[in-house]
């Protein structure tokens, strides 16, 4: 038995993030944002039910204050809590900076910029899928199949996230300073 984050505790449960004894399992709700990634798809379908002629681009430009954006708000609060929780587990300085930038851009998007919230959140969801693929190669370091899955999923994840970012930048009424800040977070 082994764990990606440290020793295995009583009952085979990892004292950190994952327990591996023939299979992986979630612990401490650490990967709930990745598990909630399908919520962003739900958000789109709720939007389309209310606006049947609306396009994907219109959904990406939607505000989180919209009544049909409840699933987007759920994902926003969950991903923000996920980032905040990570501070209690101790992070390397680069990850601290990454988390601070991510939290800042999420709050700017939710409460200052407003329009285009789904572009921002869908990009986060795409990045979380890439992170899940990364976890596979950390959990099973010698498995060549997972390396292939990681490369494919991470590439798709990054392309989707950059596309979401590009759709967000194309929205009107963004101060250029916010665009620069969002670029730093995305890269």
């Amino acid at each position: 038995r082994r764990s990606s984050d440290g020793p295995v505790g009583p009952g085979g449960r990892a004292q950190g993030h994952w327990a591996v004894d023939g299979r992986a399992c979630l612990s401490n709700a650490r990967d709930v944002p990745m598990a909630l990634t399908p919520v962003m798809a739900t958000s789109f379908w709720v939007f389309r039910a209310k606006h049947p002629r609306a396009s994907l681009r219109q959904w990406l430009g939607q505000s989180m204050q919209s009544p049909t954006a409840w699933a987007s708000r759920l994902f926003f609060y969950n991903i923000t809590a996920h980032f905040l929780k990570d501070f209690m587990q101790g992070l390397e300085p680069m990850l601290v900076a990454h988390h601070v930038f991510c939290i800042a851009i999420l709050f700017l998007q939710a409460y200052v910029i407003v329009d285009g919230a789904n572009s921002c959140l869908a990009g986060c969801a795409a990045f979380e899928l890439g992170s899940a693929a990364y976890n596979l190669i950390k959990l099973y370091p010698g498995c060549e199949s997972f390396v292939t899955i990681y490369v494919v999923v991470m590439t798709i994840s990054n392309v989707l996230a950059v596309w979401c970012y590009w759709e967000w930048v194309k929205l009107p009424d963004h101060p250029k300073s916010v665009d620069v800040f969002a670029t730093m977070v995305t890269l």
Side-chain angles (χ1 to χ4, degrees), residues 63-69 73 109-111 114:
S63 162
M64 274 194 358
Q65 282 74 31
S66 169
T68 58
R73 287 189 297 275
Q109 180 63 68
Y111 299 109
V114 183

Side-chain angles (χ1 to χ4, degrees), residues 38-175:
V39 169
M40 291 309 297
T42 303
S43 174
F44 176 69
W45 296 118
V46 168
F47 177 75
R48 284 296 303 261
K50 181 79 172 171
H51 309 286
R53 296 188 186 266
S55 68
L56 176 62
R57 194 163 272 139
Q58 288 169 314
W59 173 75
L60 288 170
Q62 183 185 33
S63 162
M64 274 194 358
Q65 282 74 31
S66 169
T68 58
W70 62 267
S72 300
R73 287 189 297 275
L74 173 65
F75 188 82
F76 165 77
Y77 292 120
N78 185 271
I79 194 81
T80 302
H82 171 68
F83 285 134
L84 291 172
K85 175 197 62 62
D86 283 350
F87 285 110
M88 293 182 267
Q89 296 179 351
L91 297 171
E92 297 172 10
M94 190 63 151
L95 280 175
V96 169
H98 167 78
H99 278 51
V100 167
F101 279 124
C102 288
I103 291 168
I105 202 70
L106 284 168
F107 273 86
L108 277 172
Q109 180 63 68
Y111 299 109
V112 177
I113 302 166
V114 183
D115 290 336
N118 287 330
S119 293
C120 179
L121 295 172
C124 288
F127 280 140
E128 286 299 322
L129 290 174
S131 294
Y134 177 74
N135 286 341
L136 282 176
I137 64 169
K138 286 302 204 180
L139 283 169
Y140 304 101
C143 183
E144 290 299 317
S145 297
F146 286 157
V147 171
T148 303
I149 290 170
Y150 163 71
V151 169
V152 170
V153 172
M154 185 60 83
T155 301
I156 292 169
S157 164
N158 287 334
V159 167
L160 284 172
V162 169
W163 176 75
C164 290
Y165 163 75
W166 180 247
E167 290 297 323
W168 182 83
V169 167
K170 291 190 316 186
L171 291 168
D173 302 329
H174 284 179

